């Protein structure tokens, strides 16, 4: 793993999207599983496909992976229609399904050699290359059956990298993994992004995605609620909130008006003001924590103040200027502030705001 | 290059000559074997149960043969008789071992991939269904071949006793290997359809147990009787008669027909069918999954029609040509019902992708392509061809026989009437079967319920008239007239009309007329159903195309709007950049510079 020395490849929004889903509809029996789902993923992006179980993530992904034909709509991978040119698309994608199986009674190397042959890869060295890239070279002669879940996931990633696909589609890649394995997978994904791969990964666990995704798509009940870069969505939500506060119609602040990614119909939900406005900062303060808490309590824009261990947890509304104001206030009153840590809950906040679920936990 | 073998394969043949191309192909098979086969063999090598199972089976067979040999010795039978008894026992048991283990091994192949969630990974490698089918088949066939090879030393024991020649033993083993092709193919075809290994195993074995017993009775016990009648007692000594027949039967036309053509057809046609069925079930529904099966259908319907003519060649002078023609008609009828059942779930029309693929192809290829209308046309014309060939041949034989031996047989007019009626009835009824199938498919949204409904209607058509006739006969106590109701069933022609016409009874005219009317009714009804079904399919396809065109237009419009917006943004950006670069008139510095 490259770790800190990783060079992140630029996201090319000036290029045509690597994945383009347009007006997808799918029905199973009498149930509409997908309803007009559209989104774009640009080259070099890590796109988090978020939604609760049964929202339509896997169906969308299976359409992208050429395993299911949509009833209506189109998916283009690298400019190719997946329905019309599935063989070519298969050469350009690496798909790792949810709960993918492995062949237990062969070794890691034999497993990869089989898939290298199945892909008709002309080079023998490719197996060594992916073993090294996914950091499982030391396991090459180990039987697959004896590997841990995390190692098996890495093996799956090695498998889908054999034919050097441009686009990686990963359905719940970190589900059922222990924390260490999750971190390893996350690091591996960032490595792959640095190699220029476009990655779409689905999950219903937000914490899995928050550190790696450059853009997201939130799907619920078969409809795309919102999609685009996380910061753009957050900005648009903030603008929308401001518009609501001024009594404007939310429809005036649609995707086109705000530029960039699309807002789905679910934005007409009533948003949770508390979830939208509230942020949390952890302050490490020298001195009497209770006195410091009293100093801040009831101040403008401050919702609550709690003493947790040796820190103050301050719930506030506003941006970074407000944090600076809080720190200045404490220093002014003679408290030493030795640490400021803003809680990283941007994705959870966006999710809650976009799906209109105030007061509910981020991880579904 | 094969990663699994580590051997580098040359890119292509050294020249375009046939010899070089064949050499290259053989080198490819040797140096770059099927990846699935290689992987399965590597996995199988680590299964510890297989050698134990092989050893146990071999020991059991050895003990059994030893016991039989001992009993024969106690009875003071000659060594030759003991050898023959051991030969018959061993290969009868080996037949059942292959007929039951083969399907079980085949059933474990593709279903296990689906159950283990590895199937999609295999599918997305881009391997064609043909390659997957061959790889899985080779893996299962290698295992069953191991069973046969392990049994070989035990199978050679009878030869030591005498009464059996080495050639017979060799032929018997060759036949076992040939049987294994069909047995594994059957398991594979079941496996290709199923999602779970257990389900595939249960269905494969539940079918294989009665089917293997049935085949043993027909081709073993029944075949031995036939061989006794054809070549005499010395040839056939039990159900394992074919190896001896190959070794000692005189080489003539009968040898070619019964020992080469018929066994080849009996093994090759089912094996090909099972292969194409597996392929169809591994192919996506939006592709042309039934192309291979249609090819098989075209060939097998022709072969079946020709085989149906064989009884005409063996007619005794006193026998009726019409009666000899009857099995050919029954064969065509049964085969048509099977074909209608087989293609009952055909897609309404070709998918968009397949339409594009077939655009530049020949008319013949498109005729074999997907869609109810083309399938209906294929079924109708192949069956019409089979009926025409059979009918013409039967009429020709009847004509020749009447001119050669008129006093001994029936008059040509009678023969021609019976043959013509039966031929037309078969034609009418098959038209009805295909029309009904197309109409049902056009009505069903997903095609799921078509097969059971089709079978139910056909069963009612074949058996129902007899039930009604029986009830009517019982109620009116006028059996022979009541049976005219049964003319709606094709079997009535064979059981009553033929009899009445050839004997010239008073009911002949009524029976003939009733059968003719039924045949015409079926024909007209079949044409009408086919027409309605085809129209509905055309309407569905047209509607679907319109929807796709509409969606395309919407997407194109969106693309155009996006392109226009991007161009406008770019123009605005350029304008701004230009404006920023241009010197402002109010700026004194710029005025100075311009001055």
């Amino acid at each position: 793993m490259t770790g800190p020395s990783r060079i992140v490849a630029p996201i090319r929004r000036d290029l045509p999207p690597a994945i383009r889903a347009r007006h997808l509809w799918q029905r199973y029996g009498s149930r509409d599983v997908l309803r007009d789902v559209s989104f774009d993923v640009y080259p070099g992006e890590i796109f988090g496909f978020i939604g609760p179980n049964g929202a339509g993530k896997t169906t969308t992904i299976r359409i992208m992976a050429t395993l299911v034909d949509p009833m209506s709509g189109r998916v283009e991978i690298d400019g190719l229609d997946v329905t019309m040119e599935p063989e070519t698309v298969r050469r350009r994608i690496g798909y790792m399904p949810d709960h993918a199986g492995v062949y237990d009674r062969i070794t890691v190397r034999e497993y990869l050699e089989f898939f290298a042959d199945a892909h008709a890869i002309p080079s023998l060295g490719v197996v060594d290359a992916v073993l090294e890239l996914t950091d499982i070279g030391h396991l090459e002669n180990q039987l697959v059956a004896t590997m841990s879940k995390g190692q098996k996931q890495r093996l799956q990633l090695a498998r889908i990298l054999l034919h050097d696909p441009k686009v990686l589609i990963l359905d719940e890649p970190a589900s059922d993994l222990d924390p260490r394995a999750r971190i390893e997978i996350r690091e591996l994904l960032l490595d792959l992004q640095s190699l220029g791969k476009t990655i779409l990964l689905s999950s219903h666990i937000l914490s899995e995605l928050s550190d790696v995704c450059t853009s997201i798509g939130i799907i619920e009940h078969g409809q795309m609620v919102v999609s685009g870069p996380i910061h753009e969505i957050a900005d648009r939500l903030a603008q929308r909130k401001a518009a609501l506060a001024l009594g404007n119609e939310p429809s005036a602040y649609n995707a086109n008006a705000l530029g960039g990614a699309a807002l789905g119909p679910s934005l007409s939900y009533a948003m949770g003001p508390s979830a939208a406005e509230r942020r949390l900062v952890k302050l490490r303060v020298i001195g009497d924590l209770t006195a410091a808490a009293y100093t801040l309590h009831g101040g403008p824009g401050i919702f609550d103040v709690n003493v947790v261990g040796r820190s103050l947890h301050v719930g506030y509304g506003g941006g970074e200027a407000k944090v600076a104001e809080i720190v200045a206030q404490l220093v002014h009153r003679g408290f030493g502030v030795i640490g400021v840590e803003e809680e990283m809950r941007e994705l959870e906040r966006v999710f809650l705001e976009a799906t209109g679920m105030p007061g509910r936990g981020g991880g579904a | 290059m094969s990663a699994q073998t580590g051997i580098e394969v040359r890119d292509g043949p050294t020249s375009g000559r046939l010899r070089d191309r064949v050499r290259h192909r053989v080198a490819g098979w040797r140096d770059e074997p099927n990846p699935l086969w290689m992987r399965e063999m590597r996995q199988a090598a680590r299964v510890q149960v297989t050698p134990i199972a092989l050893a146990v089976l071999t020991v059991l067979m050895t003990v059994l043969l030893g016991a039989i040999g001992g009993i024969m010795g106690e009875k003071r039978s000659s060594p030759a008789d003991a050898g023959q008894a051991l030969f018959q026992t061993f290969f009868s048991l080996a037949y059942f071992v292959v007929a039951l283990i083969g399907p079980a091994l085949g059933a474990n192949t593709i279903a296990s991939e689906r159950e283990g969630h590895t199937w999609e990974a295999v599918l997305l490698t881009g391997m064609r269904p043909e390659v997957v089918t061959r790889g899985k088949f080779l893996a299962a066939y290698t295992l069953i071949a191991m069973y046969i090879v392990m049994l070989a030393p035990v199978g050679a024991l009878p030869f030591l006793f005498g009464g059996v020649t080495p050639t017979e033993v060799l032929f018997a083993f060759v036949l076992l290997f040939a049987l294994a092709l069909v047995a594994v193919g059957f398991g594979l075809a079941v496996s290709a359809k199923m999602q779970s290994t257990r389900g595939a195993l249960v269905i494969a074995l539940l079918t294989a147990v009665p089917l293997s017993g049935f085949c043993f009775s027909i081709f073993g016990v029944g075949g031995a009787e036939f061989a006794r009648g054809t070549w005499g007692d010395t040839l056939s000594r039990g159900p394992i008669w074919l190896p001896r027949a190959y070794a000692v039967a005189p080489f003539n036309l009968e040898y070619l027909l019964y020992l080469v053509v018929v066994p080849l057809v009996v093994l090759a046609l089912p094996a090909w069918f099972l292969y194409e069925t597996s392929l169809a079930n591994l192919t996506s529904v939006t592709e042309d999954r039934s192309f291979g099966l249609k090819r098989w259908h075209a060939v097998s319907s022709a072969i079946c029609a020709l085989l149906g003519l064989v009884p005409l060649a063996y007619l005794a002078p006193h026998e009726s040509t019409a009666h000899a023609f009857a099995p050919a008609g029954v064969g065509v009828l049964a085969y048509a019902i099977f074909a209608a059942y087989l293609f009952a779930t055909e897609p309404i029309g070709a998918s968009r992708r397949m339409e594009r693929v077939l655009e530049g192809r020949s008319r013949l290829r498109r005729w074999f392509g997907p869609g109810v209308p083309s399938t209906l046309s294929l079924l109708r014309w192949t069956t019409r061809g089979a009926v025409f060939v059979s009918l013409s041949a039967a009429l020709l034989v009847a004509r020749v026989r009447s001119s050669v031996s008129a006093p001994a047989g029936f008059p040509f007019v009678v023969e021609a009437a019976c043959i013509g009626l039966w031929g037309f009835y078969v034609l009418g009824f098959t038209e009805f079967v295909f029309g009904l199938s197309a109409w049902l498919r056009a009505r069903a949204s997903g095609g799921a319920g078509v097969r059971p409904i089709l079978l139910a209607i056909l069963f009612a058509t074949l058996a129902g008239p007899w039930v009604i006739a029986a009830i009517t006969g019982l109620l009116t106590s006028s059996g022979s007239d009541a049976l005219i109701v049964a003319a709606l069933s094709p079997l009535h022609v064979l059981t009553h009309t033929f009899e009445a016409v050839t004997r010239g009874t008073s009911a002949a005219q009524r029976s003939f007329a009733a059968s003719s009317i039924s045949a015409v009714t079926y024909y007209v009804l079949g044409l009408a159903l086919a027409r309605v079904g085809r129209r509905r399919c055309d309407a569905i396809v047209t509607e679907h195309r319109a929807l796709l065109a509409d969606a395309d237009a919407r997407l194109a419009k969106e693309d155009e709007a996006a392109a226009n917006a991007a161009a406008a943004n770019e123009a605005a950006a350029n304008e701004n950049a230009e404006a920023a670069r241009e010197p402002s008139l109010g700026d004194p510095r710029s005025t100075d510079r311009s001055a």
Side-chain angles (χ1 to χ4, degrees):
Chain A
M1 264 184 285
T2 50
S5 62
R6 182 186 301 121
I7 299 165
V8 178
I11 297 165
R12 300 294 306 272
R13 286 185 162 266
D14 53 323
L15 294 177
I19 301 173
R20 193 164 195 208
R22 307 174 73 183
H23 305 292
L24 286 182
W25 286 82
Q26 185 67 304
R27 175 178 287 182
Y28 291 136
S30 59
R31 185 172 162 243
D32 281 328
V33 182
L34 296 180
R35 292 184 286 174
D36 201 22
V37 169
S38 297
F39 62 92
D40 293 336
V41 182
Y42 286 89
E45 274 193 321
I46 299 185
F47 184 87
F49 199 30
I50 308 166
N53 288 329
K57 298 190 298 290
T58 299
T59 303
T60 312
I61 281 178
R62 287 174 64 79
I63 290 171
M64 281 188 247
T66 72
L67 294 169
V68 175
D69 278 354
M71 278 182 66
S72 172
R74 188 187 296 172
V75 174
E76 289 163 16
I77 304 268
D78 203 21
L80 297 165
D81 187 339
V82 297
T83 313
M84 300 301 284
E85 295 171 88
E87 283 96 1
T88 319
V89 168
R90 284 172 187 181
R91 285 197 288 272
R92 303 205 182 168
I93 60 164
Y95 168 56
M96 190 167 105
D98 182 16
H99 299 296
V102 285
Y103 304 111
D104 283 340
R105 290 196 302 265
I106 49 177
T107 65
V108 169
R109 176 170 279 281
E110 286 169 348
Y111 180 87
L112 293 174
E113 282 175 352
F114 160 63
F115 279 102
D117 276 359
H119 280 291
I121 295 165
S123 164
L124 284 177
V126 74
V127 171
D128 292 314
V130 295
L131 280 169
E132 191 186 332
L133 179 64
T134 52
D135 202 22
I136 50 172
H138 60 289
L139 303 171
E140 64 174 328
N141 294 319
Q142 192 171 320
L143 278 182
V144 174
T146 61
M147 295 171 86
S148 69
K149 275 186 181 171
Q151 287 169 339
K152 281 181 184 171
Q153 285 297 75
R154 298 175 79 81
L155 178 61
Q156 292 284 350
L157 275 170
R159 169 179 68 75
I160 66 170
L161 290 170
L162 280 167
H163 58 296
D164 193 22
K166 284 184 177 177
V167 176
L168 302 178
I169 301 170
L170 318 173
D171 194 0
E172 309 266 1
S175 62
D176 301 336
L177 295 186
D178 59 49
R180 186 186 180 83
R182 280 185 190 194
I183 292 165
E184 286 174 359
I185 290 287
R186 188 186 64 198
E187 290 297 314
L188 185 51
L189 292 179
L190 291 170
D191 282 346
L192 293 172
Q193 188 204 17
S194 70
L195 292 173
K197 307 284 182 198
T198 305
I199 302 171
L200 182 144
L201 67 154
S202 80
S203 183
H204 61 277
I205 303 167
L206 297 177
S207 57
E208 268 179 29
L209 305 173
S210 58
D211 293 340
V212 288
C213 292
T214 52
S215 57
I216 57 162
I218 298 175
I219 188 169
E220 201 176 35
H221 305 302
Q223 283 182 303
M224 192 59 107
V225 177
V226 65
S227 70
I230 297 172
H231 62 90
E232 270 184 30
I233 295 171
D235 288 350
R236 278 184 287 131
L237 288 167
Q239 288 180 42
R240 184 180 180 280
K241 211 164 43 183
L244 280 171
L246 292 169
N248 290 341
E249 285 297 311
S251 57
Y253 290 81
N254 59 22
N256 294 332
L258 294 167
L263 284 174
S266 295
L267 267 185
S268 58
Y269 293 163
M271 291 201 309
S274 62
E277 291 163 11
R278 188 187 140 83
R279 288 185 174 192
L280 186 72
V281 67
K282 296 174 189 173
L283 303 170
R284 288 188 65 201
V285 178
I286 300 170
D288 185 354
L289 286 177
T290 312
Y294 271 114
T295 303
L296 294 176
H297 188 74
I302 292 177
F303 301 126
D304 54 67
V305 185
N306 294 303
V307 179
V308 180
R310 298 294 306 155
S311 301
L312 279 184
H313 286 199
V314 183
Y316 70 99
E320 288 173 345
K322 186 67 193 170
V323 178
E325 191 184 307
I326 292 167
V327 173
Q329 196 179 349
L330 286 172
V331 173
H332 181 70
R333 295 293 176 90
F335 297 103
V337 180
I338 57 169
V340 179
E341 187 186 345
E342 193 166 9
E343 197 173 62
M344 293 296 289
R345 280 197 174 170
E346 183 78 343
L347 191 54
E348 282 92 333
R349 196 172 61 79
V350 166
F351 180 77
L352 290 174
E353 286 179 17
T355 56
M357 293 189 297
R360 281 168 64 174
Chain B
M1 179 76 73
S2 167
Q4 289 185 104
T5 58
I7 297 172
E8 195 161 345
V9 182
R10 274 178 295 183
D11 288 339
T14 49
S15 77
R17 286 188 305 175
L18 181 68
R19 196 181 63 180
D20 289 331
R21 278 185 290 158
V22 169
R23 272 186 185 172
H24 177 71
R25 178 64 68 91
V26 171
W29 286 335
R30 189 190 59 219
D31 301 335
E32 204 171 30
N34 188 297
L36 271 166
W37 182 34
M38 288 292 292
R39 195 212 69 220
E40 293 272 357
M41 288 299 97
R42 283 176 163 182
Q43 281 183 282
R46 292 196 176 92
V47 179
Q48 291 164 353
V49 181
T50 311
I52 296 169
L54 286 169
V56 168
L57 184 69
T58 311
V59 169
L60 282 175
M61 287 290 262
T62 313
V63 170
L64 185 70
L65 287 195
I68 293 168
I71 292 166
M72 297 290 281
E74 280 292 306
K75 288 184 176 177
R76 297 181 188 281
S77 304
S78 69
D81 287 343
Q84 186 57 231
L86 289 175
F87 177 79
Q88 293 290 333
T89 309
F90 173 81
F91 281 102
S92 296
L93 286 172
Y95 162 83
F96 282 105
V97 167
V98 171
L100 297 179
I101 293 180
L105 290 171
N108 199 32
T109 52
I110 296 159
S112 68
E113 296 265 9
R114 289 206 181 104
E115 196 175 64
H117 302 285
T118 51
W119 177 240
E120 285 173 353
V122 172
L123 206 62
L124 290 178
T125 58
M127 274 196 289
R128 299 287 309 155
E130 294 89 333
V131 180
V132 175
T133 308
R134 282 199 291 268
K136 288 292 184 182
F137 173 81
L138 281 170
Y141 192 75
T142 308
L143 286 176
I144 193 76
M146 278 166 62
Y147 278 87
I148 299 172
V149 169
M150 280 291 281
L151 290 174
V154 192
L157 273 179
F159 159 65
L160 300 176
F161 284 80
V164 183
T165 62
T167 320
E168 283 175 53
V169 176
L170 191 69
F171 273 127
F173 273 110
V174 170
L175 285 172
L176 271 186
F177 279 107
L179 175 71
L181 287 173
V182 183
V184 170
F186 173 68
L188 189 68
V190 173
S191 191
K193 183 77 182 164
M194 302 297 291
Q195 296 294 324
S196 79
T197 313
R198 188 176 294 178
L201 264 174
V202 167
I203 288 182
L205 286 177
L206 280 180
T207 318
V209 169
L211 203 62
S212 57
F214 176 76
C215 289
F216 190 76
S217 310
I218 296 291
F219 299 112
V221 181
E225 281 301 313
F226 172 79
R228 200 168 290 133
T230 311
W231 291 292
D233 285 345
T234 50
L235 193 141
S236 173
R237 297 175 187 175
I240 312 299
W241 59 275
L242 204 52
R244 188 168 179 79
Y246 279 124
V248 301
F251 190 77
N252 51 22
L253 192 65
E254 282 178 340
Y255 187 103
L256 271 178
L257 183 65
Y258 297 129
L259 299 181
V260 178
V261 176
V262 172
L264 207 63
V265 168
V266 164
L267 282 172
L269 271 190
W272 184 16
F273 170 72
L274 294 168
Y275 173 72
E276 296 293 358
T277 308
S278 304
L279 271 189
N281 283 322
L282 294 183
T283 307
S284 161
V285 285
T286 54
E287 291 193 32
D288 190 4
R289 64 195 314 204
S290 56
F291 171 63
L293 279 172
K294 285 176 185 165
R295 260 187 327 195
W296 174 85
H297 161 75
V299 174
S300 59
S301 58
I303 289 174
C304 287
L306 291 175
L307 284 180
L309 299 178
V310 170
L312 291 174
Y314 290 91
L315 271 176
H318 63 279
E319 284 175 329
S320 155
T321 313
H323 281 106
F325 171 59
V330 171
V332 170
L333 203 61
Y335 184 79
I337 292 172
F338 170 71
Y341 179 83
L342 186 66
F343 297 108
T345 53
E346 187 71 5
I348 298 284
S351 68
R352 203 178 190 195
R353 184 173 121 72
M354 280 318 301
E355 274 180 358
R356 188 189 281 183
V357 169
L358 294 173
E359 251 173 23
R361 309 297 286 272
S362 65
R363 282 187 69 178
L364 184 69
R365 174 64 187 87
R366 275 181 279 150
W367 195 43
F368 279 74
V372 171
S374 62
T375 308
L376 175 68
S377 168
L378 180 76
L379 292 178
R380 285 162 91 179
W381 282 106
T382 46
T383 308
R384 282 172 189 171
V387 172
F388 176 75
V389 168
S390 310
L391 193 67
S392 308
L395 286 173
L396 188 69
V397 169
R399 183 74 207 162
V400 170
R401 290 184 78 221
S402 68
S403 60
V404 173
S405 58
F410 295 104
F412 175 68
V413 181
V414 174
E415 294 269 38
C418 287
I419 291 168
L421 175 66
W422 180 224
F424 186 60
Y425 205 116
V426 169
L427 190 68
F429 197 78
T430 52
E431 287 286 338
F432 168 70
V433 170
F434 296 142
L436 177 68
S437 171
W439 181 75
L440 285 172
R441 179 64 191 93
R443 301 288 305 174
S445 58
V450 176
R451 281 178 174 155
I453 296 171
L454 178 70
L455 283 188
I457 293 174
L458 290 180
F459 180 76
T461 315
L462 290 168
W466 291 101
V467 175
I468 294 168
I471 293 168
T472 318
L474 284 172
L475 292 176
T476 60
S477 302
S478 54
S480 59
D481 281 342
L483 279 174
I484 283 179
V485 179
L488 283 170
S489 168
L491 303 177
H492 181 266
V493 179
L494 301 178
T495 54
H496 287 77
T497 313
F498 270 26
E499 194 71 12
V501 171
T502 50
R503 284 191 179 180
T505 61
S506 58
Q509 277 190 342
R510 282 196 301 276
S511 188
F512 192 87
S515 294
S516 304
I517 291 167
S518 299
V520 172
T521 308
Y522 278 128
Y523 189 79
V524 172
L525 197 60
L527 288 180
L529 285 169
R531 193 177 174 79
V532 174
R534 184 176 280 199
R535 271 190 180 177
R536 192 176 165 82
C537 289
D538 288 344
I540 292 170
V541 169
T542 308
E543 191 186 351
H544 184 63
R545 279 182 187 154
L547 280 172
L548 288 174
D550 184 46
D552 280 350
R554 275 194 297 131
L555 292 177
K557 209 172 172 182
E558 276 184 19
D559 284 343
E560 197 182 332
N564 288 341
N569 284 340
E570 199 176 341
N574 288 340
E575 214 166 274
N576 289 340
E578 281 294 322
R581 273 202 296 272
E582 269 180 20
S584 167
L585 290 174
D587 187 346
R589 287 170 299 176
S590 62
T591 315
D592 291 343
R593 269 203 298 274
S594 61

